[in-house]
Amino acid sequence: MIGSLFTKVLSAVAPSVASVFAISPAFVAPATPTAPDLREVISVRSETPVSTSSGLLGHDSTVVVPFFMEYERDGQQLEETVNLPLDTRLVAIMKQGFGTHASKALRGLEEALLKGMVQSNREVRKASANILPLVQEAVPFRVAGDIPIPERVEEKVERIAKKVLQRSGKRVVVTSAARTPKRQADAMRIKLELGESPRRLYANKRAATEIENAYTWAKKTGLAVNQVTDTMAMVIQRQIDGGVYISSHLRQGAVDLRSRDLTAYEKSVVRQAAVEEGARVALETTPPHFHLEVF
């Protein structure tokens, strides 16, 4: 079970903390035959902090964050819930306890804390405000919305973002990473509606022209926005089936960073940090963002 998994992790991090968790009914889930290991974990997500009377970790632990972990075992997808206290040791505990999922879990925690800061419960607001700076320091970048980021891309982005944060004090925002044909079609549709032809942007002019022609036909036919996107996505999928990738986003090797809120200096820092990490950099204008090809 997740509770026993975290008890093992906490025993290595802070024995006194682990002993408190081990006896707390608010933290430890009901016993299951065997605990999932980190290799079985599929996803981690958190909810808005809540107040509790459990007394976990003394006065610093009257507020907890519910974490939901999905994992796969014997072909079955299972879920466990664990309440982690908003204590100053939480970041260190999560980094070790969630393994390769730590960065994503911490980003989710940041969103949960931002929600906690506007709750009516004073203790929830105070605890969320106390922990938020520690979480933001541990995660050097933000993600705009529900954007899938491949693990190897995330590692590269984190290295770039750390340099940007250290040199400018700015946390970069990821606006796009791995794309399905439909996500790619939607991004290209927006560019076309903003007046930019993909033929000017993409190296493969033939593939770009095919997609633009699909957009033009769908618009002239009077299709709805989602149908226009679907029409373009079908062309992109056909290209992929033939071994043609209009964008490195489709190969899960690119990431976009928001640029509209960056100063000229911050933009130069982002560019330099990305180049140092071996990325190819382009500053696009419609909409404004850095396009980084990291693989």
Side-chain angles (χ1 to χ4, degrees):
M1 66 177 179
I2 298 298
S4 62
L5 172 64
F6 270 87
T7 298
K8 293 176 184 178
V9 172
L10 291 168
S11 296
V13 179
S16 60
V17 178
S19 64
V20 174
F21 282 168
I23 63 173
S24 170
F27 180 85
V28 180
T32 54
T34 55
D37 62 37
L38 292 175
R39 291 169 297 180
E40 298 172 321
V41 174
I42 300 172
S43 66
V44 180
R45 66 183 188 276
S46 57
E47 294 294 329
T48 305
V50 295
S51 181
T52 177
S53 59
S54 63
L56 289 175
L57 300 184
H59 69 280
D60 288 335
S61 61
T62 58
V63 177
V64 298
V65 177
F67 278 88
F68 301 91
M69 297 182 69
E70 294 179 341
Y71 61 97
E72 186 173 340
R73 172 173 295 153
D74 299 329
Q76 291 185 316
Q77 187 167 319
L78 306 171
E79 184 177 278
E80 294 277 359
T81 304
V82 61
N83 292 328
L84 289 181
L86 280 185
D87 178 85
T88 54
R89 290 157 286 187
L90 179 56
V91 171
I93 290 169
M94 289 178 63
K95 280 185 175 181
Q96 186 164 350
F98 284 120
T100 58
H101 298 272
S103 182
K104 184 175 182 180
L106 283 166
R107 293 201 306 272
L109 176 60
E110 178 182 3
E111 297 302 317
L113 294 177
L114 289 171
K115 294 177 182 177
M117 290 176 64
V118 296
Q119 297 300 303
S120 58
N121 185 294
R122 181 178 178 276
E123 291 301 319
V124 171
R125 295 199 308 272
K126 180 180 178 182
S128 298
N130 286 341
I131 304 302
L132 182 61
L134 301 177
V135 176
Q136 292 178 332
E137 183 179 355
V139 184
F141 67 95
R142 293 175 48 230
V143 179
D146 183 19
I147 297 172
I149 306 179
E151 187 174 325
R152 64 174 189 160
V153 173
E154 183 167 345
E155 292 173 355
K156 184 68 71 73
V157 172
E158 187 165 354
R159 291 200 295 271
I160 294 171
K162 280 183 178 178
K163 289 184 177 182
V164 175
L165 184 61
Q166 291 169 354
R167 298 171 186 178
S168 70
K170 187 75 173 183
R171 293 176 75 214
V172 296
V173 180
V174 175
T175 57
S176 183
R179 291 177 183 166
T180 62
K182 188 164 185 175
R183 282 180 180 265
Q184 179 64 34
D186 199 48
M188 295 180 72
R189 177 187 59 77
I190 292 172
K191 282 183 174 293
L192 282 160
E193 290 178 352
L194 290 173
E196 180 172 359
S197 170
R199 288 173 292 173
R200 295 198 299 267
L201 180 62
Y202 295 98
N204 191 324
K205 306 303 181 185
R206 180 176 178 178
T209 299
E210 288 180 346
I211 299 169
E212 184 171 350
N213 287 343
Y215 167 83
T216 303
W217 175 86
K219 293 287 286 186
K220 286 183 177 179
T221 306
L223 297 182
V225 171
N226 63 320
Q227 294 173 314
V228 173
T229 299
D230 288 342
T231 301
M232 298 170 68
M234 286 190 291
V235 175
I236 294 171
Q237 184 60 65
R238 177 172 53 78
Q239 293 174 349
I240 293 174
D241 293 340
V244 175
Y245 293 80
I246 187 69
S247 170
S248 55
H249 283 284
L250 293 164
R251 293 181 180 273
Q252 300 189 359
V255 65
D256 291 345
L257 305 180
R258 181 179 295 161
S259 64
R260 68 171 184 263
D261 59 344
L262 300 180
T263 65
Y265 171 71
E266 290 166 347
K267 289 178 182 177
S268 68
V269 171
V270 170
R271 185 182 295 275
Q272 181 61 35
V275 170
E276 289 174 1
E277 291 298 329
R280 295 175 59 186
V281 186
L283 181 59
E284 300 182 15
T285 57
T286 52
H289 66 276
F290 277 105
H291 173 76
L292 309 182
E293 295 188 9
V294 295
F295 291 103

